[in-house]
Amino acid sequence: MTNRIKKTQVINAKPLVEHKISKEERDQLTETLLTAPATALANGEVVAFPTETVYGLGANINCPEAVDEIFSIKGRPNDNPLIVHVGTKEAIKPLVQSFPEVAEVLVEELMPGPLTLVLPRSDIVPDNVTAGLDTVGIRMPNHPVTRQLLILADVPVAAPSANLSGKPSPTLAEHVVHDLQGKVNFIVDGGPCQVGVESTVLDLSSGPPLILRPGGVTASSILRCLENHHIQFPQRDWQIRLLHSGSGYSVADHEVPKSPGMKYRHYAPDGIVKIIEGNDRSECITNILKFINESNIKDNFYGIFANQEFIDEVKARLPGETNLIQYSYGPVPDIRKATHELFAGLRFLDEHSAKWIFVETFPDQGIGTAYMNRLLKASGDTSNRTE
Ligand code: TXA
Ligand code: MG
């Protein structure tokens, strides 16, 4: 069944994201556009949809065949658990065995939003969703289309990012079409994802909160929330551990649950990602030139993902015959814009056959932690414990 070619229908739900339409128009449009994919989702079909982070590929958690189909469509190793998506806060509690105060605070303050909470799972969450773990990741996306879709489907939806396994996550419906055309019945197009990298995965299942994967919500905003609500943990320095978790900070193995995907290369284009290194801009450019000079310039296509100012400087100093394909995320350095465009840029450079892809770095702080994490993974680094 999985191998049969499907007639993929792309549903243009972008008008639902626009602010200008009236409530009546929106309700009418929601029904017209989202009833078919929501019904398909509830009835056991796999449906791709937008979220504020990246596009997801969803299945009703109560339909084991649909959940299995997600793994086969993506080519995803089945020891990598799926996040369960819900449309309302009320839908969270039945999925978990316990709901500590810290979860209550974070759900109240940061959901809907780019945050996934890992909690002990209840009996209604099947084994194939969590890859046999006794915890479940739960997320409530902050995207009008997704929330309506989830509310209409009225079932918890297991959903990984809607890319083929190992590839950069999709941030446009076109990316999903590229990867999954003929493999799913519905792709809901909600326009570009606002954040551009996935949710922050926060483990609350044992001890103080720890970030397993940095993402759209920063460690300091999580900490601020907890401190505002006077949440404390008996462990010394738990605040420092939270702030450093997710960026390769080493925590003793017994203190964190395994992050099953850590051993896989992720977010990776076909081209080889080279992180641009150097103490300042001039040294960065010198290093790029050195690399290009040492490789065979005539036969290679180089790609660069950076701000336009930087790209212009690189181009001015390159030997004339160099094939450089550029993707500029904006005129000057800007971590939010770079994060928003990173996956789209890597995909674009791949499509243009870049063999080596130079990518701008940012300080490992704030949203920069998520950006650098994805960059490291794309360059093949599997050493830190997030994926
Ligand atoms: O923003 C996102 O989170 C997107 C959108 C579609 O919601 N989803 C997403 O899913 O990125 P995926 O499957 O590509 O990544 C989920 C990550 C994986 O690293 C997985 O190992 C981890 O979350 N994860 C899921 N459940 C877990 C659990 N119970 N314990 C530990 N890690 C878990
Ligand atoms: Mg993914």
Side-chain angles (χ1 to χ4, degrees), residues 268-318:
D270 294 333
I272 300 166
V273 170
K274 302 290 291 177
I275 297 175
I276 301 174
E277 281 169 325
N279 290 320
D280 54 32
R281 178 193 286 234
S282 166
E283 199 177 305
C284 285
I285 295 176
T286 307
N287 286 338
I288 292 175
L289 297 178
K290 192 162 166 265
F291 183 87
I292 290 179
N293 280 330
E294 284 168 6
S295 55
N296 184 352
I297 48 174
K298 293 219 174 48
D299 294 343
N300 280 338
F301 281 95
Y302 299 96
I304 185 163
F305 176 88
N307 67 78
Q308 191 64 53
E309 212 173 67
F310 185 85
I311 293 175
D312 288 344
E313 244 180 274
V314 172
K315 276 163 62 182
R317 289 174 56 187
L318 274 180

Side-chain angles (χ1 to χ4, degrees), residues 80-93:
N80 199 359
L82 304 176
I83 294 170
V84 177
H85 295 64
V86 293
T88 63
K89 292 182 180 178
E90 293 69 47
I92 298 175
K93 277 195 183 155

Side-chain angles (χ1 to χ4, degrees), residues 61-240:
I61 65 163
N62 302 312
C63 299
E65 283 176 17
V67 173
D68 289 345
E69 204 181 336
I70 286 181
F71 286 89
S72 63
I73 288 176
K74 279 180 61 94
R76 180 178 174 107
N78 54 13
D79 63 352
N80 199 359
L82 304 176
I83 294 170
V84 177
H85 295 64
V86 293
T88 63
K89 292 182 180 178
E90 293 69 47
I92 298 175
K93 277 195 183 155
L95 299 167
V96 299
Q97 217 174 69
S98 56
F99 198 64
E101 191 192 0
V102 53
E104 224 154 289
V105 164
L106 294 173
V107 167
E108 212 35 57
E109 298 281 333
L110 298 174
M111 286 198 189
L115 178 67
T116 295
L117 299 181
V118 173
L119 289 159
R121 71 163 155 151
S122 73
D123 293 342
I124 71 163
V125 182
D127 261 356
N128 62 344
V129 170
T130 66
L133 295 180
D134 52 14
T135 57
V136 59
I138 297 175
R139 154 158 155 72
M140 183 178 170
N142 187 15
H143 191 292
V145 172
T146 332
R147 288 185 62 195
Q148 286 305 328
L149 184 73
L150 291 169
I151 288 168
L152 283 174
D154 199 22
V155 290
V157 169
S161 47
N163 51 289
L164 296 177
S165 209
K167 294 291 154 205
S169 298
T171 53
L172 291 171
E174 289 77 2
H175 299 155
V176 185
V177 171
H178 177 274
D179 283 14
L180 303 184
Q181 174 101 51
K183 296 183 174 177
V184 295
N185 288 331
F186 290 103
I187 296 174
V188 181
D189 181 355
C193 302
Q194 299 99 309
V195 179
V197 290
E198 300 81 350
S199 62
T200 302
V201 178
L202 186 72
D203 181 28
L204 299 180
S205 68
S206 58
L210 280 181
I211 292 175
L212 303 181
R213 177 181 71 180
V217 170
T218 62
S220 52
S221 53
I222 293 169
L223 183 59
R224 207 174 319 121
C225 255
L226 299 183
E227 291 189 333
N228 286 345
H229 286 263
H230 309 288
I231 304 276
Q232 285 297 327
F233 294 90
Q235 284 87 343
R236 245 184 71 227
D237 296 340
W238 68 267
Q239 294 97 329
I240 296 172

